[in-house]
Structure formats: C-alpha cells, structure tokens
Amino acid sequence: MPSSKPRILIARRIFPEVVQRLSQHFEVQANDDDVQWNAQQLAAQLQDKDGVLTTGGQRIDAPLLAACPRLKIVANMAVGYNNFDVPAMTAAGVQGTNTPDVLTETTADFGFALLMATARRMTESEHYLRAGLWKNWSYDMFAGSEVHGSTLGILGMGRIGQGIARRGAHGFGMRVIYHNRSRLAAELEAECRASYVDKDQLLAEADHLVLVLPYTPESHHAIGAAELARMKPTATLINIARGGIVDDAALAQALAERRIAAAGLDVFESEPAVHPGLLQVPNVVLTPHIASATVPTRLAMANLAADNLIAFFTQGWALTPVNTPASTKFE
Ligand code: 8YV
C-alpha cells in the first residue's frame, strides 16, 4: 500500500539528525549530493512533493509554482527570504516560512567580528605576514581605525541591527546612530543606546556603517556611488545583509581610490562569484556568507525549518510564516 505521509524535498544537504526527524513525519527525498539545482531541475524534483525545505539561494517564483501544482509549503532555512516571490506564493496558495530569532545573536556576533577585522586590518596584515613580508616594526604598520568610542552607524534596525547596537554601545562605548524604515520604540532605543537619524546623517557621521536591512526592490543599491561619496574617507562599510544592497562595482572603485578606508563583506551581488575589483583591492575583508555559521545556530535554523513543515502538515499552520495565503492547498 502506498504511504499516506506527505512527501517533502530537502533541497540542499542539511544535518542528518534533522533529516532523520523529518523522516518520522514525511516521505523524504534529500539532496545528498548537495547540488544547487536550477529552476527546471528543482521543478522536476518537486513534481510529486507537498513541501520543500530550501536555503536562501533557491528562487521560488511564479513559473516554478505553476510548474509544481502539488507544492503547499516552502520552508526557508534562512531569516532572509528575498529568494521568495511572496505575492506569487500567496496567490498560488503556497505557505512560505523563514527562520527568525534563532540566528540573531550569532549573526550580530559575526557583524561585529567583521567590523573589527575590517577596522583593524586583520586579514590584510595576516596575508602580509604569511607572505613572509614582515621584517620589521614600524609605527604605522597596518594602523587602522579606532573601534571603541567611535560612531557606529546601522542601516536597518531589526533584531540583528539591535544586537549589533547593543554590542557597540555597551561593549565598546560607541555612539550608535541608526536609520530604518520605522523608528524603534523609545524603550528599545534606550536599551540599544541608539539615536535615530536620517540616511544622509547616517552616511556622513558613521565611522563604521553596518548594513543589516532586508533586500527588496527598494533597498537595491541602497549604497552606491552617491552614498559612498557621502561617507567619511576614514569610514568602514560592513555588509552582512544581502548582496545587491551595495553596488559592488561602485564599492570596488571607492576602495581602490581610498574614498572610504575599508569594507567588510559577507554577501555579494552575484555570489558565490565576487566582483573582480573587490578581489584586487587590499582594504576589504571578504567572507563567504557565513554570518550565521556556527554549528548550534545552523542546527537551530534547520530544526526551525523542519518544525515549520511538521506544524504545517500536522496542525495546519506554520510557526514562523512570511505570508498568509487566503486558502492554502492543505487538506
Ligand atoms: C543563511 C542568511 O546561511 O538567514 C539568512 O538570511 O543569509 C544565512 O543565515 C543563508 O541564507 C542560507 O540559507
């Protein structure tokens, strides 16, 4: 007799224990080879599936949904879900979910680490040392910019932005300014010791500007040549949000011409490809989209994505939904 369990696809390799958990509830097909499928390949894999666990690189849009009429839920193992066409999913009656909260502090830790590595020129100086170029001490060797007591600017003040603000204000005595679509409640501002400013003031006054906003059509190239020109020549720019928020070509040029001091980038416009101009300049710290990458946090993300699938199919609702389809295809 055929199994009556819902069928789900795990679109990328994840923790075996989470696959095991999912197997108790579903007929599971896992992508053990960990290949990144293109749209046609994903659609082919989803023909007989009721749900899918995706990662942030997997586009879910109207043509894919039209090609997969059986699909009822897409559980993203990421807090960002710019890979989803949310209106198309809602129109198709497909539930989308993400993984908020479980990665907030880990990602804020990484944002701060990247800020410090960038300001204090850590990777640039390590490359110099490894290349055998360190022969002598000199007063200005890899002299960077100050972190403690400086002005920390944050663009996007959600949970991760607030985590970075707290680290800066309470740990490093920084003056914290932020810009966001909406202003935080007064108590939250006080807790983060953060002051709301407009975007121009943020650009002009930040010694370290950290980007933590979602990627949407409105935030595309929120930092381009014009914005970089408004920053201090001594400033650093840190992007742990999404590629596409920064115009990578404009940033590479600004770094090459030292119009800002340095940048720390965990995300890129065409990742995993990196703009060649960024690879050529020394004053940038580059990491491969690892801000949430600790074992406990990635496990918590995978488990939350799994919990969303389980709750949806066993109780009819998701734990952390990103949309509310009028009628899901759940029966
Ligand atoms: C993920 C992320 O590692 O959660 C996010 O939005 O960017 C990262 O934590 C990545 O998107 C893979 O799903």
Side-chain angles (χ1 to χ4, degrees):
M1 215 175 88
S3 159
S4 60
K5 284 180 178 175
R7 293 183 178 177
I8 64 146
L9 176 71
I10 304 175
R12 295 298 300 268
R13 193 165 59 81
I14 59 167
F15 296 87
E17 56 266 51
V18 182
V19 178
Q20 184 56 38
R21 268 189 73 213
L22 286 166
S23 304
Q24 290 164 12
H25 300 268
F26 306 114
E27 249 185 65
V28 172
Q29 188 190 324
N31 179 357
D32 292 326
D33 296 333
D34 208 20
V35 285
Q36 172 82 48
W37 289 313
N38 64 29
Q40 287 75 18
Q41 291 166 326
L42 181 64
Q45 298 287 345
L46 285 176
Q47 284 312 297
D48 59 346
K49 303 298 185 305
D50 301 291
V52 58
L53 190 155
T54 52
T55 53
Q58 199 83 62
R59 181 91 189 127
I60 305 294
D61 55 15
L64 181 95
L65 295 167
C68 309
R70 185 172 164 158
L71 190 65
K72 300 167 183 65
I73 175 168
V74 184
N76 224 24
M77 185 183 144
V79 65
Y81 50 91
N82 55 296
N83 56 316
F84 288 178
D85 180 337
V86 176
M89 290 171 72
T90 305
V94 171
Q95 180 70 67
T97 67
N98 69 339
T99 59
D101 302 318
V102 291
L103 47 58
T104 300
E105 298 304 326
T106 298
T107 304
D109 282 349
F110 188 87
F112 221 87
L114 193 53
L115 185 162
M116 295 194 75
T118 304
R120 300 303 306 273
R121 305 175 65 179
M122 291 181 80
T123 57
E124 190 187 354
S125 60
E126 184 185 351
H127 291 146
Y128 173 89
L129 180 151
R130 284 180 186 274
L133 298 170
W134 184 27
K135 306 288 181 211
N136 225 331
W137 180 91
S138 101
Y139 81 97
D140 60 351
M141 187 169 75
F142 295 107
S145 47
E146 212 69 271
V147 175
H148 74 273
S150 65
T151 296
L152 171 61
I154 302 176
L155 185 58
M157 198 60 156
R159 291 160 285 220
I160 299 170
Q162 291 164 33
I164 291 169
R166 285 193 192 94
R167 283 160 178 75
H170 299 284
F172 290 82
M174 296 168 95
R175 167 185 173 237
V176 181
I177 52 177
Y178 76 97
H179 183 73
N180 196 41
R181 274 173 305 183
S182 52
R183 193 170 168 169
L184 294 186
E187 314 83 72
L188 215 43
E189 275 191 0
E191 201 193 301
C192 295
R193 287 199 216 146
S195 307
Y196 183 83
V197 295
D198 65 25
K199 190 175 167 189
D200 277 342
Q201 190 180 348
L202 185 80
L203 293 168
E205 294 185 11
D207 293 312
H208 306 287
L209 176 60
V210 184
L211 308 180
V212 212
L213 64 167
Y215 184 49
T216 61
E218 294 73 45
S219 65
H220 178 71
H221 286 188
I223 301 294
E227 289 75 18
L228 291 162
R230 287 192 200 113
M231 292 175 67
K232 294 180 183 178
T234 50
T236 70
L237 175 71
I238 311 300
N239 188 5
I240 57 165
R242 276 290 181 274
I245 294 174
V246 174
D247 176 343
D248 284 351
L251 175 61
Q253 200 175 339
L255 290 167
E257 293 168 7
R258 303 270 168 177
R259 282 190 273 113
I260 64 169
L265 307 173
D266 187 48
V267 288
F268 305 89
E269 278 198 271
S270 313
E271 62 187 56
V274 176
H275 190 284
L278 292 171
L279 295 169
Q280 278 156 22
V281 290
N283 48 341
V284 60
V285 179
L286 305 168
T287 53
H289 202 146
I290 57 167
S292 67
T294 65
V295 174
T297 291
R298 285 280 166 85
L299 182 59
M301 292 164 69
N303 270 319
L304 180 50
D307 289 341
N308 270 306
L309 290 165
I310 294 165
F312 180 79
F313 284 109
T314 60
Q315 292 153 38
W317 46 268
L319 302 175
T320 50
V322 302
N323 64 343
T324 43
S327 66
T328 63
K329 290 184 258 171
F330 182 78
E331 295 121 28

